[in-house]
Amino acid sequence: MGENKRRMLAGDWYLPDDPELLADTVRRIDLCAAYNRTGPAGPRTAERRAVLRELFGSLGEDVRIRPPFHCDFGYHIRIGARTFVNFNAVFLDAGPITVGSDVQIGPNVQLLTPTHELAPERRRAGWEKAEPVTIGDNVWLGGGVIVCPGASVGADTVVGAGAVVTRDLPPGVLAVGNPARVVRKLR
């Protein structure tokens, strides 16, 4: 394994312009394209599931993802059973993305692990790292929600449409806005 991939997997600063990471990107491009071509569920459900099993690090039973779906690598994504992901999801998985079971993800949701240098010289040089994103069991992310690097959403939480999650949200709450803020407890 090359230095940049090792650093990326360890959560350290790395340079993504690397032949080994490019090969991983080509793999993802091919698998996402194959998945997105399968169209609606039905007769091709087994084919769709086989592509997702190859793309993701782990895939629970009865997961439904509506194409188009986009990701960085795929192998950092773990999705629990009975989760539903609506159209146009973007999971940038330079770092781990863990989605629990029974999660509902609205259209145009983005789960983002990459972060970039604040210092302009290093940012121009291309340095980045990734911070994990975790979505607990039985969460509902409304349409257009963005979950930023390093943020977690606790079990049974609902995040309103268009919210931007910049820090951890506790379990069992309703959160809305930019940045997302808890407006009430749900349990």
Side-chain angles (χ1 to χ4, degrees):
M1 178 182 309
E3 180 66 16
N4 280 306
K5 185 170 182 176
R6 185 194 62 72
R7 293 172 65 85
M8 180 189 78
L9 294 173
D12 295 332
W13 291 102
Y14 70 98
L15 292 168
D17 188 16
D18 174 271
E20 186 174 15
L21 294 175
L22 178 59
D24 288 350
T25 297
V26 169
R27 170 194 167 274
R28 176 269 304 168
I29 289 169
D30 291 344
L31 289 169
C32 280
Y35 184 76
N36 291 334
R37 278 192 309 269
T38 62
R44 300 178 83 178
T45 300
E47 176 186 349
R48 295 173 85 192
R49 188 155 188 81
V51 172
L52 291 179
R53 284 202 181 281
E54 188 175 346
L55 178 63
F56 292 159
S58 150
L59 183 69
E61 292 301 313
D62 299 320
V63 170
R64 294 174 297 137
I65 299 176
R66 289 187 171 169
F69 173 81
H70 304 281
C71 64
D72 259 347
F73 298 101
Y75 50 71
H76 276 133
I77 299 171
R78 289 171 174 27
I79 299 180
R82 299 170 305 282
T83 288
F84 172 73
V85 180
N86 215 323
F87 302 106
N88 295 317
V90 175
F91 289 15
L92 297 187
D93 65 310
I97 293 177
T98 304
V99 177
S101 296
D102 302 301
V103 173
Q104 300 292 312
I105 296 180
N108 300 306
V109 166
Q110 300 176 49
L111 305 181
L112 312 173
T113 68
T115 186
H116 302 278
E117 274 284 2
L118 296 178
E121 298 79 21
R122 282 182 53 91
R123 189 170 59 248
R124 261 192 312 275
W127 289 96
E128 67 179 59
K129 71 176 182 174
E131 298 177 13
V133 166
T134 303
I135 310 299
D137 292 340
N138 202 39
V139 165
W140 174 19
L141 301 178
V145 166
I146 298 172
V147 180
C148 293
S152 294
V153 178
D156 303 317
T157 285
V158 174
V159 182
V164 178
V165 180
T166 59
R167 63 175 190 249
D168 292 352
L169 294 174
V173 299
L174 171 63
V176 299
N178 181 4
R181 70 190 183 293
V182 174
V183 293
R184 69 181 174 102
K185 291 185 178 187
L186 295 176
R187 54 182 166 130

